[in-house]
Amino acid sequence: CTSDIYALEVLYYLRGRGIHIPQDAGLMGFDNIEMLKYVEPLINTVSYPVEEIGKEAVKLLVEMFEGNHAAEDIILPHWIAEGGSL
Protein backbone atom coordinates (compact mmCIF):
# COMPACT_ATOMS: atom_id res chain seq x y z
CA CYS A 1 0.00 0.00 0.00
CA THR A 2 1.14 3.58 -0.58
CA SER A 3 0.69 4.39 3.10
CA ASP A 4 0.13 2.60 6.40
CA ILE A 5 -3.33 4.14 6.69
CA TYR A 6 -4.33 2.40 3.46
CA ALA A 7 -2.72 -0.82 4.69
CA LEU A 8 -4.90 -0.64 7.81
CA GLU A 9 -7.98 -0.16 5.63
CA VAL A 10 -6.99 -3.16 3.49
CA LEU A 11 -6.43 -5.24 6.63
CA TYR A 12 -9.90 -4.31 7.88
CA TYR A 13 -11.45 -5.12 4.50
CA LEU A 14 -9.71 -8.50 4.19
CA ARG A 15 -10.59 -9.53 7.74
CA GLY A 16 -14.23 -8.75 7.01
CA ARG A 17 -14.10 -11.26 4.18
CA GLY A 18 -12.39 -14.00 6.19
CA ILE A 19 -8.99 -13.52 4.55
CA HIS A 20 -6.14 -14.03 7.03
CA ILE A 21 -2.85 -12.12 6.97
CA PRO A 22 -0.25 -13.49 6.21
CA GLN A 23 -1.68 -16.99 5.65
CA ASP A 24 -3.92 -16.01 2.72
CA ALA A 25 -2.42 -12.70 1.58
CA GLY A 26 0.60 -10.53 2.31
CA LEU A 27 0.29 -6.89 3.29
CA MET A 28 2.83 -4.09 3.36
CA GLY A 29 2.52 -0.40 4.12
CA PHE A 30 4.65 2.71 3.79
CA ASP A 31 5.41 5.30 6.52
CA ASN A 32 5.94 3.24 9.69
CA ILE A 33 3.33 5.15 11.70
CA GLU A 34 3.06 4.67 15.48
CA MET A 35 -0.45 3.24 15.22
CA LEU A 36 0.90 0.03 13.69
CA LYS A 37 2.14 -1.16 17.08
CA TYR A 38 -1.49 -1.72 18.10
CA VAL A 39 -2.35 -3.99 15.16
CA GLU A 40 -1.99 -7.76 15.00
CA PRO A 41 -0.23 -9.02 12.99
CA LEU A 42 2.33 -6.24 12.85
CA ILE A 43 2.29 -4.85 9.34
CA ASN A 44 5.53 -4.79 7.37
CA THR A 45 6.22 -1.22 6.29
CA VAL A 46 8.82 1.00 4.66
CA SER A 47 10.44 3.36 7.14
CA TYR A 48 12.45 6.48 6.38
CA PRO A 49 14.10 9.35 8.32
CA VAL A 50 11.39 12.03 8.42
CA GLU A 51 13.53 14.57 10.31
CA GLU A 52 16.41 14.17 7.89
CA ILE A 53 14.05 14.73 4.95
CA GLY A 54 12.91 17.99 6.54
CA LYS A 55 16.47 19.13 7.19
CA GLU A 56 17.53 18.41 3.62
CA ALA A 57 14.47 20.23 2.25
CA VAL A 58 15.29 23.34 4.30
CA LYS A 59 18.94 23.23 3.17
CA LEU A 60 17.83 23.06 -0.47
CA LEU A 61 15.43 25.98 -0.02
CA VAL A 62 18.14 28.11 1.59
CA GLU A 63 20.52 27.29 -1.26
CA MET A 64 17.86 28.26 -3.80
CA PHE A 65 17.10 31.56 -2.02
CA GLU A 66 20.81 32.35 -1.96
CA GLY A 67 20.97 31.76 -5.70
CA ASN A 68 23.07 28.62 -5.48
CA HIS A 69 22.43 25.63 -7.67
CA ALA A 70 20.80 23.00 -5.50
CA ALA A 71 21.82 19.35 -5.69
CA GLU A 72 19.93 17.35 -8.31
CA ASP A 73 19.42 14.13 -6.36
CA ILE A 74 19.51 13.44 -2.67
CA ILE A 75 19.15 9.84 -1.62
CA LEU A 76 18.34 9.19 2.00
CA PRO A 77 18.31 5.81 3.73
CA HIS A 78 15.14 3.80 3.99
CA TRP A 79 14.46 0.31 5.29
CA ILE A 80 11.76 -2.27 5.77
CA ALA A 81 10.42 -2.44 9.32
CA GLU A 82 9.54 -6.09 9.52
CA GLY A 83 6.29 -7.21 11.02
CA GLY A 84 4.38 -10.41 10.47
CA SER A 85 2.22 -9.53 7.49
CA LEU A 86 4.28 -11.06 4.67
Side-chain angles (χ1 to χ4, degrees), residues 5-26:
I5 295 296
Y6 290 142
L8 291 170
E9 289 290 334
V10 169
L11 178 64
Y12 177 78
Y13 176 85
L14 294 175
R15 281 186 176 164
R17 278 137 187 85
I19 298 170
H20 300 93
I21 305 295
Q23 296 85 350
D24 301 323

Side-chain angles (χ1 to χ4, degrees), residues 43-61:
I43 296 175
N44 294 57
T45 184
V46 175
S47 190
Y48 50 90
V50 175
E51 275 189 40
E52 195 172 339
I53 290 171
K55 289 177 185 176
E56 289 296 326
V58 169
K59 282 178 16 184
L60 287 173
L61 283 172

Side-chain angles (χ1 to χ4, degrees), residues 3 21 42 52 70 75 80 84:
S3 73
I21 305 295
L42 289 175
E52 195 172 339
I75 299 173
I80 296 174

